[in-house]
Amino acid sequence: MLCRVWQGLVEAAPQAMAVLDAASGQVWPRAELAAAAGEFPRSVGPVVAEGKGVAFLAGVLRAFADGVPLVLQDQPGALPEELQALPQEVAVVKMTSGSTGHPRYVLCSAD
């Protein structure tokens, strides 16, 4: 669902601004961001969001395009074993740092 919304925005106005990099002043139109996402390898399982700026956003869009869950972690690292197999309706997983002793997971659907 999220991917279809994004694709509709790109088709409706491909040159509309999608991202403004405040540090460099560079503007990324929707079509360029969509192309950057298309350069990522196809995902077959949950994707851990990494990087910053446009690279992060392109990875997010690629996960949505592939229909796999996106995992947002407070601490970098490999995907925990318990998140390797998630229910099909899960689109995004927010992981906490575990500062209370154990990380917690919030599972979100695209609906």
Side-chain angles (χ1 to χ4, degrees), residues 87-98:
Q88 185 175 355
E89 64 272 8
V90 173
V92 178
V93 177
K94 172 65 175 120
M95 252 177 81
T96 65
S97 64

Side-chain angles (χ1 to χ4, degrees), residues 48-89:
V48 176
E50 297 179 328
K52 294 182 178 181
V54 171
F56 172 83
L57 291 173
V60 168
L61 292 171
R62 185 64 214 209
F64 290 161
D66 293 340
V68 297
L70 174 70
V71 179
L72 305 170
Q73 301 183 133
D74 287 348
Q75 302 293 324
L79 187 66
E81 187 175 320
E82 58 266 26
L83 296 180
Q84 295 294 331
L86 292 165
Q88 185 175 355
E89 64 272 8

